[in-house]
Amino acid sequence: MNPPIPAWADFVGAWDLFRDPVICGVAAGAVLGLLGVHVVLRRMVFVAATLSQVSGLGVALAFFAGIHLGTEVPPVLGALALSLLAAVLVSLDTRRLRVSRDSVLATLWLLAGGLAVMVGDRITQEAHDIAGILFGTAVLVRPEDLRAVLGVGALVATGATWAGRGLVFAGFDPDGARVQGLPVRALDVSLLVAVTVMVAVSTRALGALPVFAFSVLPALAALLAVRHLRWAFPLAALLGALAGGLGYLAAFFLSFPVGACQAVTAGLFVLLAVPVRLARGGE
Amino acid sequence: MSSTPLLRCERLVVGYGGRPVLPPVDLEIRPGEFWVVVGRNGSGKTTWFRTLLGLLSPVSGQVAWPQGRRPIAYVPQRSAFDELYPVPVREVVAMGAERGWSFLSPGGGRGDRVRQALTEVGAWELRDRNFRALSEGQKQRVLLARMLCSQAGIALLDEPTAAMDAVAEEEAMAMLDGLRRAHNLALVVVSHHLQVAFRHADRILFLDPEVGVEVGTVAEIQQSEAWRARYQDRHAGVLP
Ligand SMILES: Nc1ncnc2c1ncn2[C@@H]1O[C@H](COP(=O)(O)OP(=O)(O)OP(=O)(O)O)[C@@H](O)[C@H]1O
Ligand SMILES: [Mg+2]
C-alpha cells in the first residue's frame, strides 16, 4: 500500500521545486531557534503557542475574506494583524481579573484553534486546506512568503543578537537592570514584537505546528546541552535550522506531512539532549 | 564627615498604591558612610530601598541627589534572580558595568574590572561556575563583586548576610567595611542581627510603622523614644 521510498536522486532531480521550502524551513528554524532561547528562559512558551495558533486563524480569515467577502487581504497581513492583537492582549495586566496568564493564553489558543477550524470548513472548496495552515502539510512555499521569512528573519536575528546582553540582563535580573537604567520595558516589548512578527510570517509560510515547535524545542535542547548561556544561542539556531531542513527531507523520503516531521525532528533533539544533561550533571 | 550628601530623603513617605507603610523619613547619606537599617519583619525596609532605587514611586516627599544622580548598586534580599538562566559568575559580575543602552556596544575590555572585583571579594576561583549553582553565601560574594564592578558611589544591600553563619557574617561585614574604606563607598545595609550591625555601623535608620522612624548614631538610637518603646520595654532580652 505504501508508496515506494524515493531515492536521493529523485530529491536532487526535483531540487528546483524543493529549494524554496527547504530554505524557508531552515531560515525560520534558525531564527525562531535563536529567539526561542529567550522565549524558553522567560517562560513564554505558551505565548509562542498562542501566537502561532492565532496567526493560523489570521491566515484562514484572510482566505475567507477573499472568497466570501470579495476583499483580497494578503494572508500574511491577516496573520500579522491578528497575532499583534493577541500580543497586546497577552501583555495586558491580568492580575486585576485575578486570573493567571496561562489561563488567558489557553483561552486565546482554544478560541483561535476552534475558530480556525470553523473558518477552514468554509474555505476548503477553494483548495485552501486548513490542515495546511494549522499543521503545515503544504509541500511548497510561495516565493513572497519565503521573501517575508528571509527579510523579517534577518532583521529579527540581527536585532536579537545585537541587544542580546540587554535581553539576558533584563530577563535574569529585571530589578537590577532597571536600577542601572536599562530600558527593561522597551526590551520586553521589542522581544514580544519580534517573536510575534517572526511567528506570523513563518506561520503563513510553514503552518502553526512547526512554527510553535521551532520557537521552543531547539532552544530547549540547546539549554539542556550547554553549560553556559552564550553557547545556547548558536546551538539553538543550528538545531532549529537542522529541524527545518532534516524535517523536510524526512517528510519527502518517508512520505509524511512536512510540518509534523519538522516538529518531531525538533522534539527528537530535545530527547537527545536529555541524556547529555544527565551525563554531565550538576550546574 | 561634612562633605556634600550623595542622597537626601526629604519628608520621604514610602508605601504602595498611595498607602504609606511608614511615617516620613528625613536623612542624608554621605560618601563613605556605613548605614545599617533595622526594623522588624514587614516594617518597610525593602519598601524604602525600592523607593530609593526608583523601582517604586514615593507616596509623598522626594529622593534628591545633591551631587547629581549617581550610579547606585543594589544587592537584593535573597536571590531575586531567575534560576533558569545558566549564567557564569564572571558574566553576572560584568552586568554591574552595564548602564542604560551600553549593552548595544561590545562588552570587551571589562575583563579587568571583573577580575579585580572578583579577586577583591575572594571569589576569583568561582568565575566559571554557574551562578545558580552557588551556595547562598557564595552568591552574596559574587553580588558584592558585581557591586564593585558597577563603580557605584552608593550601595544598598538588603540582608546580605541573612544566609550566613555567624563567622561568615562577621567576615562579610568586615569585608564590606574594608570595601567601603577602599572605595569611599556609602553602604546602606539591612540587617536583623543587631550585635554585628551595631559593631560596624556609623549611622542607623530604625524603622517601625507603629512607634516611628529614628535616624542617628548607634548611641543616639539606643537612647531614642521609639527604640526604647520597641525593644527596651517590651523585648529587653533581644537587645545587644
Ligand atoms: N507589593 C506590595 N503591595 C502592597 N503591600 C506590600 C507589598 N510589598 C510589601 N508590602 C507591605 O509593606 C510592608 C513593608 O514590607 P517590606 O517588604 O518593606 O518589609 P521589610 O521590612 O523588608 O520586611 P522583612 O524584614 O520581612 O524583609 C508590609 O506590611 C508588607 O505587607
Ligand atoms: Mg525586606
Side-chain angles (χ1 to χ4, degrees), chain B residues 121-155:
Chain B
V121 301
W124 175 240
E125 73 280 1
L126 299 177
R127 63 192 175 276
D128 289 319
R129 295 279 308 278
N130 248 321
F131 181 77
R132 65 182 179 188
L134 300 182
S135 78
E136 291 298 321
Q138 290 171 324
K139 280 182 187 167
Q140 289 299 349
R141 269 173 194 262
V142 171
L143 293 177
L144 292 186
R146 184 171 84 154
M147 171 186 95
L148 291 178
C149 189
S150 79
Q151 300 183 327
I154 178 167

PDB file of all heavy atoms in Angstrom, chain B residues 121-155:
ATOM      1  N   VAL B 121      36.820  40.316  46.454  1.00  0.00           N
ATOM      2  CA  VAL B 121      35.912  39.648  47.390  1.00  0.00           C
ATOM      3  C   VAL B 121      36.301  38.189  47.606  1.00  0.00           C
ATOM      4  O   VAL B 121      35.565  37.430  48.243  1.00  0.00           O
ATOM      5  CB  VAL B 121      34.440  39.715  46.905  1.00  0.00           C
ATOM      6  CG1 VAL B 121      33.995  41.150  46.732  1.00  0.00           C
ATOM      7  CG2 VAL B 121      34.247  38.942  45.612  1.00  0.00           C
ATOM      8  N   GLY B 122      37.452  37.785  47.055  1.00  0.00           N
ATOM      9  CA  GLY B 122      37.936  36.428  47.268  1.00  0.00           C
ATOM     10  C   GLY B 122      37.100  35.376  46.565  1.00  0.00           C
ATOM     11  O   GLY B 122      36.881  34.283  47.093  1.00  0.00           O
ATOM     12  N   ALA B 123      36.609  35.696  45.374  1.00  0.00           N
ATOM     13  CA  ALA B 123      35.748  34.730  44.677  1.00  0.00           C
ATOM     14  C   ALA B 123      36.222  34.483  43.248  1.00  0.00           C
ATOM     15  O   ALA B 123      35.455  33.996  42.420  1.00  0.00           O
ATOM     16  CB  ALA B 123      34.308  35.220  44.678  1.00  0.00           C
ATOM     17  N   TRP B 124      37.488  34.764  42.976  1.00  0.00           N
ATOM     18  CA  TRP B 124      38.000  34.619  41.603  1.00  0.00           C
ATOM     19  C   TRP B 124      37.887  33.176  41.128  1.00  0.00           C
ATOM     20  O   TRP B 124      37.620  32.898  39.972  1.00  0.00           O
ATOM     21  CB  TRP B 124      39.446  35.126  41.543  1.00  0.00           C
ATOM     22  CG  TRP B 124      40.133  34.926  40.225  1.00  0.00           C
ATOM     23  CD1 TRP B 124      41.270  34.196  39.992  1.00  0.00           C
ATOM     24  CD2 TRP B 124      39.738  35.461  38.948  1.00  0.00           C
ATOM     25  NE1 TRP B 124      41.600  34.248  38.667  1.00  0.00           N
ATOM     26  CE2 TRP B 124      40.690  35.010  37.997  1.00  0.00           C
ATOM     27  CE3 TRP B 124      38.680  36.268  38.522  1.00  0.00           C
ATOM     28  CZ2 TRP B 124      40.612  35.337  36.645  1.00  0.00           C
ATOM     29  CZ3 TRP B 124      38.603  36.588  37.166  1.00  0.00           C
ATOM     30  CH2 TRP B 124      39.553  36.121  36.247  1.00  0.00           C
ATOM     31  N   GLU B 125      38.061  32.227  42.074  1.00  0.00           N
ATOM     32  CA  GLU B 125      38.030  30.814  41.650  1.00  0.00           C
ATOM     33  C   GLU B 125      36.613  30.375  41.267  1.00  0.00           C
ATOM     34  O   GLU B 125      36.440  29.329  40.659  1.00  0.00           O
ATOM     35  CB  GLU B 125      38.626  29.910  42.752  1.00  0.00           C
ATOM     36  CG  GLU B 125      37.759  29.705  43.985  1.00  0.00           C
ATOM     37  CD  GLU B 125      37.824  30.887  44.967  1.00  0.00           C
ATOM     38  OE1 GLU B 125      38.544  31.869  44.666  1.00  0.00           O
ATOM     39  OE2 GLU B 125      37.138  30.836  45.997  1.00  0.00           O
ATOM     40  N   LEU B 126      35.620  31.194  41.560  1.00  0.00           N
ATOM     41  CA  LEU B 126      34.247  30.826  41.172  1.00  0.00           C
ATOM     42  C   LEU B 126      33.896  31.297  39.766  1.00  0.00           C
ATOM     43  O   LEU B 126      32.794  31.053  39.281  1.00  0.00           O
ATOM     44  CB  LEU B 126      33.235  31.458  42.150  1.00  0.00           C
ATOM     45  CG  LEU B 126      33.311  31.059  43.615  1.00  0.00           C
ATOM     46  CD1 LEU B 126      32.266  31.845  44.423  1.00  0.00           C
ATOM     47  CD2 LEU B 126      33.073  29.566  43.771  1.00  0.00           C
ATOM     48  N   ARG B 127      34.831  31.980  39.085  1.00  0.00           N
ATOM     49  CA  ARG B 127      34.478  32.751  37.882  1.00  0.00           C
ATOM     50  C   ARG B 127      33.750  31.975  36.799  1.00  0.00           C
ATOM     51  O   ARG B 127      32.892  32.528  36.118  1.00  0.00           O
ATOM     52  CB  ARG B 127      35.730  33.402  37.296  1.00  0.00           C
ATOM     53  CG  ARG B 127      36.781  32.397  36.810  1.00  0.00           C
ATOM     54  CD  ARG B 127      38.092  33.077  36.527  1.00  0.00           C
ATOM     55  NE  ARG B 127      39.149  32.152  36.173  1.00  0.00           N
ATOM     56  CZ  ARG B 127      39.889  31.500  37.058  1.00  0.00           C
ATOM     57  NH1 ARG B 127      39.686  31.670  38.355  1.00  0.00           N
ATOM     58  NH2 ARG B 127      40.822  30.659  36.667  1.00  0.00           N
ATOM     59  N   ASP B 128      34.073  30.682  36.625  1.00  0.00           N
ATOM     60  CA  ASP B 128      33.429  29.937  35.541  1.00  0.00           C
ATOM     61  C   ASP B 128      32.273  29.066  36.014  1.00  0.00           C
ATOM     62  O   ASP B 128      31.658  28.358  35.224  1.00  0.00           O
ATOM     63  CB  ASP B 128      34.458  29.090  34.794  1.00  0.00           C
ATOM     64  CG  ASP B 128      35.387  29.964  33.961  1.00  0.00           C
ATOM     65  OD1 ASP B 128      34.882  30.926  33.340  1.00  0.00           O
ATOM     66  OD2 ASP B 128      36.608  29.721  33.961  1.00  0.00           O
ATOM     67  N   ARG B 129      31.991  29.122  37.311  1.00  0.00           N
ATOM     68  CA  ARG B 129      30.848  28.357  37.822  1.00  0.00           C
ATOM     69  C   ARG B 129      29.557  29.027  37.375  1.00  0.00           C
ATOM     70  O   ARG B 129      29.522  30.214  37.085  1.00  0.00           O
ATOM     71  CB  ARG B 129      30.888  28.340  39.362  1.00  0.00           C
ATOM     72  CG  ARG B 129      32.080  27.609  39.964  1.00  0.00           C
ATOM     73  CD  ARG B 129      31.884  26.111  40.004  1.00  0.00           C
ATOM     74  NE  ARG B 129      30.631  25.734  40.631  1.00  0.00           N
ATOM     75  CZ  ARG B 129      30.441  25.641  41.964  1.00  0.00           C
ATOM     76  NH1 ARG B 129      31.429  25.887  42.780  1.00  0.00           N
ATOM     77  NH2 ARG B 129      29.271  25.293  42.444  1.00  0.00           N
ATOM     78  N   ASN B 130      28.491  28.224  37.366  1.00  0.00           N
ATOM     79  CA  ASN B 130      27.185  28.782  37.075  1.00  0.00           C
ATOM     80  C   ASN B 130      26.658  29.473  38.325  1.00  0.00           C
ATOM     81  O   ASN B 130      26.653  28.888  39.403  1.00  0.00           O
ATOM     82  CB  ASN B 130      26.217  27.666  36.680  1.00  0.00           C
ATOM     83  CG  ASN B 130      25.827  27.756  35.237  1.00  0.00           C
ATOM     84  OD1 ASN B 130      25.625  28.854  34.712  1.00  0.00           O
ATOM     85  ND2 ASN B 130      25.716  26.623  34.586  1.00  0.00           N
ATOM     86  N   PHE B 131      26.186  30.704  38.167  1.00  0.00           N
ATOM     87  CA  PHE B 131      25.729  31.462  39.334  1.00  0.00           C
ATOM     88  C   PHE B 131      24.649  30.704  40.098  1.00  0.00           C
ATOM     89  O   PHE B 131      24.658  30.643  41.323  1.00  0.00           O
ATOM     90  CB  PHE B 131      25.209  32.830  38.881  1.00  0.00           C
ATOM     91  CG  PHE B 131      24.729  33.701  40.010  1.00  0.00           C
ATOM     92  CD1 PHE B 131      25.640  34.351  40.826  1.00  0.00           C
ATOM     93  CD2 PHE B 131      23.373  33.862  40.259  1.00  0.00           C
ATOM     94  CE1 PHE B 131      25.209  35.162  41.875  1.00  0.00           C
ATOM     95  CE2 PHE B 131      22.934  34.665  41.304  1.00  0.00           C
ATOM     96  CZ  PHE B 131      23.851  35.314  42.105  1.00  0.00           C
ATOM     97  N   ARG B 132      23.718  30.080  39.347  1.00  0.00           N
ATOM     98  CA  ARG B 132      22.577  29.446  40.010  1.00  0.00           C
ATOM     99  C   ARG B 132      22.976  28.248  40.860  1.00  0.00           C
ATOM    100  O   ARG B 132      22.212  27.799  41.698  1.00  0.00           O
ATOM    101  CB  ARG B 132      21.545  29.024  38.961  1.00  0.00           C
ATOM    102  CG  ARG B 132      22.045  27.949  38.011  1.00  0.00           C
ATOM    103  CD  ARG B 132      20.998  27.623  36.966  1.00  0.00           C
ATOM    104  NE  ARG B 132      21.491  26.618  36.035  1.00  0.00           N
ATOM    105  CZ  ARG B 132      20.852  26.245  34.928  1.00  0.00           C
ATOM    106  NH1 ARG B 132      19.710  26.816  34.629  1.00  0.00           N
ATOM    107  NH2 ARG B 132      21.352  25.327  34.143  1.00  0.00           N
ATOM    108  N   ALA B 133      24.182  27.709  40.602  1.00  0.00           N
ATOM    109  CA  ALA B 133      24.589  26.521  41.339  1.00  0.00           C
ATOM    110  C   ALA B 133      25.436  26.859  42.568  1.00  0.00           C
ATOM    111  O   ALA B 133      25.930  25.966  43.241  1.00  0.00           O
ATOM    112  CB  ALA B 133      25.356  25.581  40.418  1.00  0.00           C
ATOM    113  N   LEU B 134      25.598  28.121  42.890  1.00  0.00           N
ATOM    114  CA  LEU B 134      26.419  28.502  44.040  1.00  0.00           C
ATOM    115  C   LEU B 134      25.594  28.421  45.327  1.00  0.00           C
ATOM    116  O   LEU B 134      24.369  28.469  45.294  1.00  0.00           O
ATOM    117  CB  LEU B 134      26.920  29.940  43.878  1.00  0.00           C
ATOM    118  CG  LEU B 134      27.783  30.244  42.654  1.00  0.00           C
ATOM    119  CD1 LEU B 134      28.212  31.710  42.693  1.00  0.00           C
ATOM    120  CD2 LEU B 134      28.998  29.337  42.602  1.00  0.00           C
ATOM    121  N   SER B 135      26.293  28.325  46.449  1.00  0.00           N
ATOM    122  CA  SER B 135      25.607  28.408  47.742  1.00  0.00           C
ATOM    123  C   SER B 135      25.195  29.860  47.966  1.00  0.00           C
ATOM    124  O   SER B 135      25.714  30.769  47.315  1.00  0.00           O
ATOM    125  CB  SER B 135      26.532  27.947  48.856  1.00  0.00           C
ATOM    126  OG  SER B 135      27.451  28.975  49.168  1.00  0.00           O
ATOM    127  N   GLU B 136      24.274  30.064  48.893  1.00  0.00           N
ATOM    128  CA  GLU B 136      23.780  31.427  49.125  1.00  0.00           C
ATOM    129  C   GLU B 136      24.918  32.363  49.528  1.00  0.00           C
ATOM    130  O   GLU B 136      24.985  33.510  49.101  1.00  0.00           O
ATOM    131  CB  GLU B 136      22.690  31.425  50.195  1.00  0.00           C
ATOM    132  CG  GLU B 136      21.386  30.763  49.759  1.00  0.00           C
ATOM    133  CD  GLU B 136      20.714  31.455  48.575  1.00  0.00           C
ATOM    134  OE1 GLU B 136      20.738  32.695  48.535  1.00  0.00           O
ATOM    135  OE2 GLU B 136      20.193  30.756  47.687  1.00  0.00           O
ATOM    136  N   GLY B 137      25.821  31.842  50.378  1.00  0.00           N
ATOM    137  CA  GLY B 137      26.939  32.672  50.815  1.00  0.00           C
ATOM    138  C   GLY B 137      27.864  33.047  49.647  1.00  0.00           C
ATOM    139  O   GLY B 137      28.326  34.184  49.542  1.00  0.00           O
ATOM    140  N   GLN B 138      28.100  32.064  48.756  1.00  0.00           N
ATOM    141  CA  GLN B 138      28.941  32.350  47.576  1.00  0.00           C
ATOM    142  C   GLN B 138      28.263  33.352  46.658  1.00  0.00           C
ATOM    143  O   GLN B 138      28.907  34.246  46.103  1.00  0.00           O
ATOM    144  CB  GLN B 138      29.218  31.042  46.810  1.00  0.00           C
ATOM    145  CG  GLN B 138      30.150  30.091  47.532  1.00  0.00           C
ATOM    146  CD  GLN B 138      30.221  28.734  46.843  1.00  0.00           C
ATOM    147  OE1 GLN B 138      29.235  28.231  46.309  1.00  0.00           O
ATOM    148  NE2 GLN B 138      31.399  28.118  46.874  1.00  0.00           N
ATOM    149  N   LYS B 139      26.929  33.202  46.517  1.00  0.00           N
ATOM    150  CA  LYS B 139      26.200  34.154  45.671  1.00  0.00           C
ATOM    151  C   LYS B 139      26.373  35.570  46.207  1.00  0.00           C
ATOM    152  O   LYS B 139      26.562  36.516  45.437  1.00  0.00           O
ATOM    153  CB  LYS B 139      24.705  33.819  45.662  1.00  0.00           C
ATOM    154  CG  LYS B 139      24.331  32.700  44.728  1.00  0.00           C
ATOM    155  CD  LYS B 139      22.826  32.479  44.753  1.00  0.00           C
ATOM    156  CE  LYS B 139      22.482  31.239  43.950  1.00  0.00           C
ATOM    157  NZ  LYS B 139      21.111  30.785  44.159  1.00  0.00           N
ATOM    158  N   GLN B 140      26.312  35.715  47.524  1.00  0.00           N
ATOM    159  CA  GLN B 140      26.439  37.048  48.099  1.00  0.00           C
ATOM    160  C   GLN B 140      27.798  37.655  47.760  1.00  0.00           C
ATOM    161  O   GLN B 140      27.908  38.829  47.458  1.00  0.00           O
ATOM    162  CB  GLN B 140      26.235  37.012  49.613  1.00  0.00           C
ATOM    163  CG  GLN B 140      24.785  36.747  50.033  1.00  0.00           C
ATOM    164  CD  GLN B 140      23.822  37.819  49.550  1.00  0.00           C
ATOM    165  OE1 GLN B 140      24.215  38.863  49.076  1.00  0.00           O
ATOM    166  NE2 GLN B 140      22.533  37.550  49.666  1.00  0.00           N
ATOM    167  N   ARG B 141      28.838  36.813  47.810  1.00  0.00           N
ATOM    168  CA  ARG B 141      30.173  37.321  47.451  1.00  0.00           C
ATOM    169  C   ARG B 141      30.204  37.809  46.015  1.00  0.00           C
ATOM    170  O   ARG B 141      30.750  38.865  45.707  1.00  0.00           O
ATOM    171  CB  ARG B 141      31.215  36.203  47.579  1.00  0.00           C
ATOM    172  CG  ARG B 141      31.829  36.165  48.925  1.00  0.00           C
ATOM    173  CD  ARG B 141      32.731  34.971  49.099  1.00  0.00           C
ATOM    174  NE  ARG B 141      32.987  34.866  50.524  1.00  0.00           N
ATOM    175  CZ  ARG B 141      34.084  35.337  51.111  1.00  0.00           C
ATOM    176  NH1 ARG B 141      35.046  35.869  50.408  1.00  0.00           N
ATOM    177  NH2 ARG B 141      34.224  35.259  52.414  1.00  0.00           N
ATOM    178  N   VAL B 142      29.609  37.020  45.133  1.00  0.00           N
ATOM    179  CA  VAL B 142      29.592  37.384  43.712  1.00  0.00           C
ATOM    180  C   VAL B 142      28.819  38.697  43.531  1.00  0.00           C
ATOM    181  O   VAL B 142      29.221  39.562  42.744  1.00  0.00           O
ATOM    182  CB  VAL B 142      28.971  36.249  42.874  1.00  0.00           C
ATOM    183  CG1 VAL B 142      28.755  36.692  41.442  1.00  0.00           C
ATOM    184  CG2 VAL B 142      29.858  35.012  42.935  1.00  0.00           C
ATOM    185  N   LEU B 143      27.739  38.844  44.283  1.00  0.00           N
ATOM    186  CA  LEU B 143      26.953  40.078  44.156  1.00  0.00           C
ATOM    187  C   LEU B 143      27.729  41.280  44.696  1.00  0.00           C
ATOM    188  O   LEU B 143      27.599  42.387  44.181  1.00  0.00           O
ATOM    189  CB  LEU B 143      25.614  39.928  44.875  1.00  0.00           C
ATOM    190  CG  LEU B 143      24.690  38.904  44.203  1.00  0.00           C
ATOM    191  CD1 LEU B 143      23.400  38.738  44.977  1.00  0.00           C
ATOM    192  CD2 LEU B 143      24.390  39.312  42.758  1.00  0.00           C
ATOM    193  N   LEU B 144      28.567  41.043  45.705  1.00  0.00           N
ATOM    194  CA  LEU B 144      29.437  42.128  46.168  1.00  0.00           C
ATOM    195  C   LEU B 144      30.423  42.505  45.066  1.00  0.00           C
ATOM    196  O   LEU B 144      30.712  43.681  44.842  1.00  0.00           O
ATOM    197  CB  LEU B 144      30.195  41.726  47.433  1.00  0.00           C
ATOM    198  CG  LEU B 144      29.347  41.542  48.697  1.00  0.00           C
ATOM    199  CD1 LEU B 144      30.239  41.295  49.908  1.00  0.00           C
ATOM    200  CD2 LEU B 144      28.471  42.750  48.942  1.00  0.00           C
ATOM    201  N   ALA B 145      30.918  41.492  44.350  1.00  0.00           N
ATOM    202  CA  ALA B 145      31.824  41.770  43.230  1.00  0.00           C
ATOM    203  C   ALA B 145      31.088  42.563  42.153  1.00  0.00           C
ATOM    204  O   ALA B 145      31.632  43.499  41.565  1.00  0.00           O
ATOM    205  CB  ALA B 145      32.378  40.463  42.663  1.00  0.00           C
ATOM    206  N   ARG B 146      29.845  42.212  41.891  1.00  0.00           N
ATOM    207  CA  ARG B 146      29.072  42.950  40.893  1.00  0.00           C
ATOM    208  C   ARG B 146      28.897  44.400  41.340  1.00  0.00           C
ATOM    209  O   ARG B 146      28.972  45.330  40.537  1.00  0.00           O
ATOM    210  CB  ARG B 146      27.699  42.295  40.685  1.00  0.00           C
ATOM    211  CG  ARG B 146      26.910  42.958  39.589  1.00  0.00           C
ATOM    212  CD  ARG B 146      25.660  42.196  39.215  1.00  0.00           C
ATOM    213  NE  ARG B 146      24.548  42.522  40.085  1.00  0.00           N
ATOM    214  CZ  ARG B 146      23.262  42.412  39.721  1.00  0.00           C
ATOM    215  NH1 ARG B 146      22.952  41.971  38.525  1.00  0.00           N
ATOM    216  NH2 ARG B 146      22.322  42.705  40.573  1.00  0.00           N
ATOM    217  N   MET B 147      28.673  44.566  42.649  1.00  0.00           N
ATOM    218  CA  MET B 147      28.550  45.914  43.200  1.00  0.00           C
ATOM    219  C   MET B 147      29.832  46.717  42.946  1.00  0.00           C
ATOM    220  O   MET B 147      29.781  47.874  42.525  1.00  0.00           O
ATOM    221  CB  MET B 147      28.268  45.780  44.701  1.00  0.00           C
ATOM    222  CG  MET B 147      28.313  47.037  45.503  1.00  0.00           C
ATOM    223  SD  MET B 147      28.117  46.642  47.263  1.00  0.00           S
ATOM    224  CE  MET B 147      29.824  46.571  47.758  1.00  0.00           C
ATOM    225  N   LEU B 148      31.002  46.079  43.168  1.00  0.00           N
ATOM    226  CA  LEU B 148      32.268  46.786  42.926  1.00  0.00           C
ATOM    227  C   LEU B 148      32.436  47.096  41.448  1.00  0.00           C
ATOM    228  O   LEU B 148      32.886  48.173  41.067  1.00  0.00           O
ATOM    229  CB  LEU B 148      33.446  45.931  43.401  1.00  0.00           C
ATOM    230  CG  LEU B 148      33.567  45.759  44.910  1.00  0.00           C
ATOM    231  CD1 LEU B 148      34.753  44.858  45.231  1.00  0.00           C
ATOM    232  CD2 LEU B 148      33.719  47.107  45.591  1.00  0.00           C
ATOM    233  N   CYS B 149      32.053  46.142  40.616  1.00  0.00           N
ATOM    234  CA  CYS B 149      32.215  46.308  39.170  1.00  0.00           C
ATOM    235  C   CYS B 149      31.365  47.472  38.662  1.00  0.00           C
ATOM    236  O   CYS B 149      31.688  48.091  37.649  1.00  0.00           O
ATOM    237  CB  CYS B 149      31.828  45.009  38.472  1.00  0.00           C
ATOM    238  SG  CYS B 149      32.209  44.976  36.732  1.00  0.00           S
ATOM    239  N   SER B 150      30.289  47.772  39.372  1.00  0.00           N
ATOM    240  CA  SER B 150      29.401  48.847  38.912  1.00  0.00           C
ATOM    241  C   SER B 150      29.983  50.225  39.216  1.00  0.00           C
ATOM    242  O   SER B 150      29.478  51.225  38.720  1.00  0.00           O
ATOM    243  CB  SER B 150      28.035  48.714  39.571  1.00  0.00           C
ATOM    244  OG  SER B 150      28.087  49.229  40.883  1.00  0.00           O
ATOM    245  N   GLN B 151      31.042  50.272  40.028  1.00  0.00           N
ATOM    246  CA  GLN B 151      31.692  51.544  40.386  1.00  0.00           C
ATOM    247  C   GLN B 151      30.682  52.573  40.861  1.00  0.00           C
ATOM    248  O   GLN B 151      30.785  53.769  40.561  1.00  0.00           O
ATOM    249  CB  GLN B 151      32.516  52.072  39.209  1.00  0.00           C
ATOM    250  CG  GLN B 151      33.593  51.070  38.826  1.00  0.00           C
ATOM    251  CD  GLN B 151      34.495  51.540  37.713  1.00  0.00           C
ATOM    252  OE1 GLN B 151      34.065  52.254  36.811  1.00  0.00           O
ATOM    253  NE2 GLN B 151      35.756  51.158  37.762  1.00  0.00           N
ATOM    254  N   ALA B 152      29.698  52.104  41.634  1.00  0.00           N
ATOM    255  CA  ALA B 152      28.680  52.999  42.173  1.00  0.00           C
ATOM    256  C   ALA B 152      29.250  53.738  43.373  1.00  0.00           C
ATOM    257  O   ALA B 152      30.219  53.295  43.986  1.00  0.00           O
ATOM    258  CB  ALA B 152      27.457  52.193  42.592  1.00  0.00           C
ATOM    259  N   GLY B 153      28.649  54.885  43.689  1.00  0.00           N
ATOM    260  CA  GLY B 153      29.075  55.626  44.864  1.00  0.00           C
ATOM    261  C   GLY B 153      28.323  55.196  46.101  1.00  0.00           C
ATOM    262  O   GLY B 153      28.723  55.469  47.231  1.00  0.00           O
ATOM    263  N   ILE B 154      27.202  54.532  45.884  1.00  0.00           N
ATOM    264  CA  ILE B 154      26.364  54.130  46.999  1.00  0.00           C
ATOM    265  C   ILE B 154      25.788  52.752  46.713  1.00  0.00           C
ATOM    266  O   ILE B 154      25.452  52.444  45.574  1.00  0.00           O
ATOM    267  CB  ILE B 154      25.248  55.180  47.235  1.00  0.00           C
ATOM    268  CG1 ILE B 154      24.315  54.771  48.354  1.00  0.00           C
ATOM    269  CG2 ILE B 154      24.447  55.453  45.981  1.00  0.00           C
ATOM    270  CD1 ILE B 154      23.421  55.918  48.809  1.00  0.00           C
ATOM    271  N   ALA B 155      25.761  51.920  47.729  1.00  0.00           N
ATOM    272  CA  ALA B 155      25.265  50.561  47.524  1.00  0.00           C
ATOM    273  C   ALA B 155      24.219  50.241  48.579  1.00  0.00           C
ATOM    274  O   ALA B 155      24.414  50.521  49.759  1.00  0.00           O
ATOM    275  CB  ALA B 155      26.413  49.568  47.601  1.00  0.00           C
TER     276      ALA B 155
END
